[in-house]
Amino acid sequence: GAVVSQHPSWVICKSGTSVKIECRSLDFQATTMFWYRQFPKQSLMLMATSNEGSKATYEQGVEKDKFLINHASLTLSTLTVTSAHPEDSSFYICSAPKSASTSYNEQFFGPGTRLTVL
Amino acid sequence: AQSVAQPEDQVNVAEGNPLTVKCTYSVSGNPYLFWYVQYPNRGLQFLLKYITGDNLVKGSYGFEAEFNKSQTSFHLKKPSALVSDSALYFCAVRDMTSNTGKLIFGQGTTLQVKP
């Protein structure tokens, strides 16, 4: 299989601060990465599609100025939660398809980052 | 609209018994279907997928799923459940309106296997 890592695995921050979450594909290159948000015992909500070398594509209702995504290289995408508030507390998960052909390959998921905003 | 439904929030089964976790889908055209498992505070792990070919797909950890086009279903099955199979299971279908491989997830089903 392929390995996707996330850092940090958990973070606690004060309201109003910004938090950066990294997603790395460790043994393959990912031109596309996906960022999800998951509330307790609920499904994954796709927030945005991160594209290497271009702007991210955000899902409807997701504030692009609040959730900044940067896909700086073929192995790294970052999600920055700006001016975080308690309602941003959640489990954030990234994923990446392994092949350049994304049409039918499974996605590989990171272990997730638990964000708690006080 | 494309969608995936997992009608059961929770499935309870005794260890050693067969298990089924249900999934139905609605997409235009031929579906690409996936099952993932999530353990507490972890990311999702891929179990199996159906793209084309045999309707019965075998995957990781002894799981299999049967694609039924007429019933638009892709139920996950295992002949003999283990306590360690207890987890949250997600069915997903590829968003055919997107060229990025985006997935649409069901709401998840918690599988509880009791000794």
Side-chain angles (χ1 to χ4, degrees):
Chain A
V3 180
V4 175
S5 70
Q6 279 184 244
H7 178 80
S9 55
W10 60 270
V11 57
I12 301 173
C13 69
K14 292 182 179 180
S15 185
T17 60
S18 294
V19 175
K20 180 185 285 188
I21 302 170
E22 293 184 348
C23 177
R24 293 182 185 272
S25 56
L26 298 185
D27 52 357
F28 66 100
Q29 294 183 331
T31 55
T32 301
M33 290 183 173
F34 300 95
W35 285 97
Y36 298 86
R37 183 173 180 177
Q38 185 182 30
F39 292 101
K41 297 188 177 181
Q42 292 190 26
S43 189
L44 281 71
M45 182 192 81
L46 179 65
M47 300 174 65
T49 302
S50 174
N51 305 298
E52 189 269 336
S54 64
K55 292 182 179 179
T57 304
Y58 289 82
E59 295 299 303
Q60 191 172 9
V62 177
E63 299 176 60
K64 59 182 67 177
D65 293 333
K66 180 166 185 62
F67 298 100
L68 300 179
I69 290 174
N70 183 27
H71 199 142
S73 74
L74 287 171
T75 58
L76 174 64
S77 174
T78 59
L79 168 68
T80 301
V81 183
T82 62
S83 187
H85 291 287
E87 57 266 29
D88 298 324
S89 298
S90 191
F91 195 52
Y92 292 87
I93 305 174
C94 70
S95 73
K98 184 175 181 180
S99 170
S101 172
T102 59
S103 60
Y104 57 84
N105 281 319
E106 64 270 26
Q107 294 181 20
F108 295 90
F109 286 79
T113 297
R114 173 76 60 194
L115 170 63
T116 302
V117 185
L118 301 176
Chain B
Q2 301 179 106
S3 64
V4 176
Q6 293 178 241
E8 303 153 317
D9 288 338
Q10 181 158 329
V11 170
N12 298 310
V13 65
E15 188 175 32
N17 283 359
L19 68 89
T20 299
V21 182
K22 295 181 180 178
C23 172
T24 59
Y25 64 89
S26 175
V27 298
S28 54
N30 295 319
Y32 297 159
L33 295 155
F34 304 83
W35 273 102
Y36 288 86
V37 60
Q38 184 182 31
Y39 295 97
N41 295 310
R42 302 290 297 276
L44 275 65
Q45 296 178 34
F46 170 76
L47 282 178
L48 50 81
K49 66 181 177 185
Y50 172 82
I51 305 300
T52 186
D54 290 341
N55 290 341
L56 185 63
V57 178
K58 294 188 183 297
S60 306
Y61 312 120
F63 284 94
E64 58 188 30
E66 186 166 13
F67 170 64
N68 188 316
K69 189 172 183 177
S70 62
Q71 297 185 6
T72 61
S73 67
F74 190 55
H75 300 331
L76 181 70
K77 299 180 180 183
K78 187 172 182 180
S80 179
L82 299 172
V83 173
S84 57
D85 292 330
S86 299
L88 183 57
Y89 290 80
F90 289 102
C91 181
V93 66
R94 185 189 180 280
D95 183 351
M96 304 304 280
T97 66
S98 164
N99 62 357
T100 61
K102 193 165 70 170
L103 295 177
I104 300 169
F105 284 89
Q107 51 270 57
T109 299
T110 298
L111 173 66
Q112 195 73 256
V113 181
K114 297 187 177 178

